[in-house]
Amino acid sequence: MITVLLADDQAMLRAGFRSLIELAGDITVIGEATDGPEAVRMARLLGPDVVCMDVRMPGGDGLTATRDIVGTLDPAPAVLVLTTYELDEYVFGALEAGASGFLLKDADVDTLVDAIRRLAAGQGMVDQAVTRRVIVEFARRRRAAVPAGTGPGVLTAREAEIVRLLAHGLSNAEIAAELVVEVSTVKSHLSRAMTKIGARDRVQTVIWAYRSGLLPLEP
C-alpha cells in the first residue's frame, strides 16, 4: 500500500483529494497538514511514501517545506507539488526545492493517481504542460558547477548513454528497444548512474544531465 500525506490549507480540497486518491485501492492517506511546518512535522512522524504539497499556504509555504523534507529526512518521501498556478517560477522553485513531481490541481484523477504511483516507485514526473522545456530552462537559470566526483566522468559510457536517452523523454522500455537490451538491464544501469550522481529519481537525473553538461542546453 502506498502511503500519502496531504498538505493543503483548504479542508475541502484535502477531503476531495483524499476521497479521489483512496478510490485507487492501492493508495491510502495517512495524514493531513494545513501548512508547511506541519507538513514537515507530520512527514517526520509518519514517514509517508509521497507528500502531496500545495505551493501557497498561510503560515509556511510548500516550497520551503519541500526543501526541509527532502533535505532533512532519511529516507525522504517523494514530494508531488500541486498548485493552481502554471507560472514557470513555481515549477522552478519546486524543482530547486527537491520536488520529484509537479501537477496542476485541475489534473484529472487518473493523472494524479498515476503521479503518486510513479513517485512512490522513484520515477518522478512533471505536468505535461511543462515537462522538458521547463527542466531545460531550470538548468539554464540555475546552472552551477556540480560537486566534485559527480560530473559526467563518473558514469560509464553505457550509463551516460542511458541517461541521455532518459533526458530525451524515453521510457525504460523505449530505451531498451533503442539499445537492444532487456528492460532490466536499463533499470540496473540507470540505478547505478543515479547512485553515482546522487539523484533521487528520474526528474533529478534529467536535471543533472543538463546542469553537468552531459547534454547541451538548448538555445
Side-chain angles (χ1 to χ4, degrees), residues 12-179:
M12 289 186 64
L13 278 177
R14 294 197 310 274
F17 280 135
R18 175 188 282 269
S19 61
L20 291 173
I21 289 170
E22 293 190 334
L23 283 175
D26 60 338
I27 303 172
T28 184
V29 175
I30 59 173
E32 299 182 17
T34 60
D35 59 30
E38 186 177 22
V40 175
R41 289 193 299 271
M42 293 188 71
R44 185 173 289 114
L45 177 66
L46 301 175
D49 297 313
V50 178
V51 179
C52 292
M53 183 80 72
D54 187 20
V55 171
R56 288 185 171 182
M57 293 180 286
D61 69 272
L63 299 186
T64 299
T66 296
R67 188 174 294 108
D68 289 344
I69 288 171
V70 173
T72 64
L73 274 62
D74 185 18
V79 177
L80 175 64
V81 169
L82 300 173
T83 180
T84 56
Y85 304 94
E86 196 174 348
L87 299 177
D88 283 351
E89 285 303 324
Y90 288 106
V91 186
F92 295 154
L95 293 175
E96 189 170 49
S100 298
F102 176 92
L103 280 178
L104 300 180
K105 285 186 177 179
D106 61 2
D108 60 62
V109 62
D110 289 340
T111 300
L112 175 59
V113 168
D114 180 61
I116 291 171
R117 287 173 177 155
R118 285 174 178 270
L119 265 65
Q123 295 179 16
M125 71 166 294
V126 289
D127 192 284
Q128 291 300 313
V130 294
T131 56
R132 191 157 154 261
R133 174 183 63 83
V134 171
I135 288 178
V136 171
E137 182 61 22
F138 171 81
R140 177 182 290 111
R141 294 190 185 191
R142 306 297 199 275
R143 191 159 194 175
V146 296
T150 59
V154 304
L155 302 183
T156 65
R158 179 46 63 95
E159 289 166 354
E161 188 175 22
I162 287 174
V163 170
R164 287 191 190 96
L165 292 173
L166 173 69
H168 284 301
L170 276 66
S171 67
N172 287 350
E174 290 168 336
I175 295 172
E178 177 76 15
L179 301 179

